[in-house]
Every structure is written in structure tokens, then in C-alpha cells.
Amino acid sequence: MVTTRLVLVHHAGGSRLLYRGWERLLPADWEVVALDAPGRGRAHNTPASDNVEALADRLLDRVLTGPETRLALFGHSTGAALVTRMASKMVAAGTRPVWLGLSGWTGRVADVPAAVRDLTDEKLLPLLHRWGGTPSTLLTDAGLRGQVLPLVRADLEALAGFDPMADRSWLTLPLSLFSGLHDPGAGVAELAVLAARAPRLLNVHLHPGDHFYLTEHPADVAAQITADLGTALRWREVQSRPRRATRSD
């Protein structure tokens, strides 16, 4: 039996808990896999990585299990950048993802200082706030900062200099974009630029809220994912049907 597997990748410094409970909001016959990047959650025994190529390879190793799986990828913020690299690696290997969902991200080279690992908390937190990526608890909880900011630094250092347009094969996939209307790092104009580059764009979904809009509207986002991925699956089915030979007299 062919399985539809939806892979969810979190933001910088985050974990799979961003998507806690989503499996109950998505079709019961889908396999929903929320991943932890190295250094946190179920991958806490693996050192955090500061390299996009290594991160993409490690995450793919956990979800590629054979030809009978229809794989779809959804990522938020840094996770969106990562899933584009994962998708391009799959395309190069001849195992194209069925669908790609990109949230809170616009396809631009990240404006990340090359020495982000050396930034003090006092300098890093304003950067995160400017990008819309600072949960309020980080600003007030010193203990939480001590746990999360080293992971944020590693994740952002991986993005420093990463150009998602160096390999554009992910843009050829069925694609949906998601964002909060008040996300300072993924505005409507920037999303429109990315949307114009995607020949198989399905939808641009805008929600009330900021960078973490999806924590406030999980059911709405899940419904949109269900609809768009369902469309992409139907496209795949039509494309895979054998074509009838025609005769000419």
C-alpha cells in the first residue's frame, strides 16, 4: 500500500513541539512526521549542526524509506529553507516530493551575520525580534535562553550564506506558501516575488498574526495543507497513468 508521508520541519531554535497535535488535524491515513533537528528533542544526543547540507542529509535519512511512500515536505521559517534543500536533493536523486509547503519564509538569502555564534544574547535577541522569531518567553526567562539560544545560533549559522536559489529545482514542485499578515520577515510583497517564480504554485495562504501565526491557527493551516496536498496527489496520480497509444492511418 502506498503511504502519504507529510514531514514537518521547525524554525531556528525550535523542535517538533511546534507541530504538537497536528496529526489529529490532518487525514488519518497520512503518516505525519514532525522532525527534531540535531541537538534537541528526540535528536538531543546528536550534536547540533551548523551546515545546511549536513542538516538536510540527516533529516532526509529519517524519512526516506522506499518507493512506496509519497513524501510531502512542510517547513516553517528556517525549516522552510531546510525543506527546499531536502527537496532539491530528492529531485537530484530521482525521488521528487509530491508537494512543498513553505511557511514564514520568502526564498531570500538570510541576512545572518557570519559570526552569529559569537554574538552575545544582548545582540542576538534584537536580531531575532526584528525577524519576528522571538517567542516572548525568551526575553524574560534566562534559563530558557541558556537552553535555546545555542541551538538558535547553530541553526542560523547554518543559514548564513545559504542561497536557496543556487539550485532551483525545488521551485518546479507543486508549491504552497503560508505566512502571517504581520510577519516582519515574510511580507506580502516578498511572498509575491517568490510566488511569481513558482510555475506550479497552488496557493498563497495569509493568516492573521505574526511570524508564529501557525501556533494560533493550527486547524486552519492544517485544512489548507490537506486541500493543497490533496490537489498535488491528484496531479501525481494523473501524471502516473499510462498514456494510450494513438494510431494514425
Side-chain angles (χ1 to χ4, degrees):
M1 179 179 178
V2 178
T3 299
T4 299
R5 178 175 297 147
L6 174 62
V7 176
L8 308 172
V9 183
H10 57 77
H11 57 288
S15 74
R16 73 185 190 283
L17 295 180
L18 176 68
Y19 303 109
R20 181 167 50 189
W22 279 40
E23 68 281 357
R24 296 190 295 272
L25 303 173
L26 293 159
D29 59 344
W30 290 4
E31 182 184 356
V32 180
V33 182
L35 294 177
D36 283 312
R40 69 215 78 189
R42 293 172 179 166
H44 69 278
N45 289 325
T46 306
S49 175
D50 58 6
N51 181 275
V52 166
E53 297 298 317
L55 278 169
D57 286 336
R58 288 181 184 180
L59 296 179
L60 279 175
D61 283 345
R62 299 186 206 165
V63 296
L64 292 178
T65 60
E68 294 304 305
T69 300
R70 296 172 297 201
L71 197 69
L73 303 172
F74 178 92
H76 177 65
S77 193
T78 301
L82 276 174
V83 299
T84 64
R85 190 66 196 122
M86 293 166 67
S88 291
K89 286 176 175 287
M90 290 182 64
V91 171
T95 56
R96 296 171 65 87
V98 175
W99 174 81
L100 198 58
L102 306 176
S103 169
W105 185 76
T106 61
R108 295 177 297 178
V109 176
D111 182 21
V112 178
V116 67
R117 191 181 290 271
D118 298 326
L119 292 179
T120 64
D121 292 357
E122 290 71 23
K123 292 183 178 180
L124 179 58
L125 285 170
L127 283 177
L128 296 178
H129 183 67
R130 187 181 76 201
W131 297 328
T134 310
S136 58
T137 49
L138 272 184
L139 301 175
T140 57
D141 189 328
L144 185 60
R145 288 200 301 272
Q147 296 175 33
V148 173
L149 288 185
L151 298 174
V152 171
R153 288 186 173 90
D155 292 344
L156 292 181
E157 192 165 343
L159 280 186
F162 169 61
D163 182 0
M165 297 298 173
D167 180 347
R168 301 188 181 194
S169 57
W170 58 271
L171 276 170
T172 67
L173 301 169
L175 179 69
S176 300
L177 304 178
F178 300 78
S179 189
L181 282 167
H182 303 294
D183 186 337
V188 174
E190 291 84 358
L191 286 174
V193 172
L194 177 57
R197 294 179 168 182
R200 304 187 73 191
L201 179 75
L202 285 165
N203 279 298
V204 177
H205 300 290
L206 298 174
H207 293 266
D210 56 17
H211 192 62
F212 288 102
Y213 75 92
L214 71 174
T215 64
E216 301 171 6
H217 309 283
D220 293 337
V221 177
Q224 290 163 347
I225 291 173
T226 300
D228 287 2
L229 177 49
T231 297
L233 288 169
R234 289 191 290 274
W235 284 359
R236 172 69 68 92
E237 182 180 351
V238 169
Q239 291 172 348
S240 64
R241 290 174 184 167
R243 295 184 179 182
R244 293 181 179 180
T246 57
R247 293 180 57 187
S248 58
D249 295 329

